[in-house]
Amino acid sequence: MGTNQPDSLQQYALENLPPPTEVSGVTAANFAEKVTNHYRPVVLRGFAAHWPLVQAAKQALPEAAAYLTARSNNKPQKLVSLPAQTSGRLFYNNAINGMNFSASQQPLNTAIDTMLKSSAAGSPHYCVQCVPVADNFSALLPELNNPLLDPSPKPFIWLGTRVTVPAHFDEASNIAVVAAGKRRFTLFPPEQVANLYIGPLDLTPAGQPISMVNLQQPDLQAHPLYANAYQAGLSVELDAGDAIYIPSPWWHSVTSLSDFNVLVNYWWSNAYVASALPLPMLLHAIQAFNHMPLGERAAWQSMLQHYLFNPADPLAHIPAEARGVQGKLTPQLAQGLHQWLAAQLNR
């Protein structure tokens, strides 16, 4: 790094970024009008202030932990352990052929107890990620009501100490609720992908591609284009009870700022079947197109532009009822397409 790095760090401080818009008075009836139709992150302050878990957390973080352990099914979970020198940042090892953390199976309540005892300086950082509430906190499930969504999206819970998840995207829309502690969310529009220096698509800390940029200490010599991403960024600190809506595939990094943190989130998508998720299709497209001769590749670029990204209606010449999978995708059509794709890929 250059000698001006301290000035650079201040120049790119996340606290200096503008926050997402805060919206109040959101209901299921006006959720689309006020939030999702704008395709921007939105902060919902006090969204879950009435949850008993949030109320316990506002008394004290150990109270939130006790509230959870009393309602835990105590099934084994993967407890991620990050050495102190990582500063809790989930990332790759130095060779970028593995990760900078280890994991072990622990009963959930044991994992929570380990987190509570790890606040001393020099201690490892811990987290348990993406735990289905229905299977692991069944007694808690009725309390985590989300009035903006229908009952089908089931909540997941994330527990940990001071841990940072690098910028990544989700393949579904997301409402993330801070249930205990504080968290900072830093977000970038999807079109900033070229400025975020994305790591390997097939080797990731938790399944989704991540930015190689350390947002807390950006190295502008290694990642000079991050300066452009920063100018488009948003960042906000949320307290227990606050929530944020994150549209897919907005890039977002999440930093836990307290010794014990709890997040509850809900994902939902309009896709009928899992095969419609876009990341597997992107990986297959890379496999299909990257080794073509340039002329053939350019031809397929024209095809994709026409069928996927055409601002005009590329199907105007076909009656609506005859458009098949290019038209309105019913569950029956989606399932048939899924079976056809599976057969093609297994030839």
Side-chain angles (χ1 to χ4, degrees):
M1 294 186 185
T3 57
N4 65 340
Q5 188 63 18
D7 290 339
S8 295
L9 291 181
Q10 182 58 38
Q11 181 181 355
Y12 294 99
L14 301 181
E15 294 81 0
N16 294 339
L17 287 172
T21 301
E22 294 189 18
V23 178
S24 59
V26 180
T27 66
N30 64 24
F31 185 39
E33 176 190 351
K34 284 197 165 193
V35 178
T36 61
N37 287 353
H38 301 281
Y39 194 64
R40 299 275 297 176
V42 168
V43 170
L44 305 166
R45 293 282 184 189
F47 176 85
H50 62 288
W51 287 1
L53 173 58
V54 170
Q55 293 172 357
K58 287 185 175 292
Q59 295 179 41
L61 293 176
E63 291 290 330
Y67 194 89
L68 287 173
T69 55
R71 289 155 181 80
S72 165
N73 298 356
N74 205 27
K75 293 182 179 181
Q77 300 294 332
K78 185 172 77 171
L79 177 64
V80 173
S81 175
L82 296 116
Q85 62 267 26
T86 67
S87 300
R89 179 179 176 233
L90 289 158
F91 200 62
Y92 300 101
N93 59 20
N94 290 336
I96 315 181
N97 60 7
M99 302 301 154
N100 67 346
F101 55 83
S102 60
S104 62
Q105 290 291 119
Q106 300 288 338
L108 188 49
N109 287 357
T110 301
I112 292 174
D113 187 57
T114 299
M115 295 173 195
L116 291 177
K117 294 177 179 177
S118 68
S119 59
S123 296
H125 304 260
Y126 295 101
C127 63
V128 173
Q129 299 181 296
C130 203
V131 176
V133 173
D135 295 335
N136 297 276
F137 292 97
S138 51
L140 187 66
L141 186 61
E143 300 177 3
L144 304 181
N145 60 305
N146 185 331
L148 302 183
L149 305 177
D150 67 51
S152 57
K154 301 303 181 187
F156 294 84
I157 196 165
W158 309 67
L159 314 167
T161 60
R162 295 177 182 264
V163 169
T164 293
V165 178
H168 63 285
F169 68 86
D170 296 329
E171 293 180 85
S173 300
N174 186 9
I175 291 179
V177 185
V178 178
K182 296 176 182 289
R183 295 199 182 214
R184 175 166 289 279
F185 290 78
T186 303
L187 309 104
F188 304 93
E191 59 267 24
Q192 292 302 316
V193 57
N195 300 325
L196 289 171
Y197 297 88
I198 307 306
L201 298 182
D202 55 343
L203 178 65
T204 68
Q208 294 300 109
I210 64 167
S211 169
M212 304 287 285
V213 180
N214 184 342
L215 302 187
Q216 282 73 29
Q217 295 180 310
D219 182 347
L220 273 298
Q221 291 185 2
H223 307 128
L225 295 179
Y226 173 66
N228 299 327
Y230 181 86
Q231 293 301 316
L234 304 170
S235 192
V236 65
E237 185 176 307
L238 301 185
D239 293 308
D242 295 336
I244 185 169
Y245 161 73
I246 305 172
S248 173
W250 270 68
W251 297 93
H252 54 284
S253 172
V254 186
T255 298
S256 302
L257 302 174
S258 305
D259 290 337
F260 180 69
N261 301 267
V262 182
L263 182 84
V264 175
N265 88 297
Y266 306 78
W267 282 304
W268 75 98
S269 172
N270 293 326
Y272 283 112
V273 292
S275 62
L277 290 173
L279 182 58
M281 297 302 100
L282 173 62
L283 294 175
H284 183 64
I286 289 172
Q287 183 184 32
F289 298 135
N290 264 10
H291 303 290
M292 286 181 177
L294 287 179
E296 187 177 352
R297 193 170 169 185
W300 276 103
Q301 182 178 358
S302 298
M303 295 276 253
L304 293 172
Q305 179 67 37
H306 175 73
Y307 281 107
L308 297 181
F309 309 111
N310 193 338
D313 182 0
L315 304 175
H317 59 289
I318 303 176
E321 63 275 10
R323 293 178 182 178
V325 297
Q326 296 174 264
K328 184 177 181 181
L329 197 62
T330 65
Q332 292 77 19
L333 276 173
Q335 184 61 32
L337 180 59
H338 170 62
Q339 293 171 351
W340 183 84
L341 286 171
Q344 295 298 307
L345 292 173
N346 289 324
R347 285 192 305 178

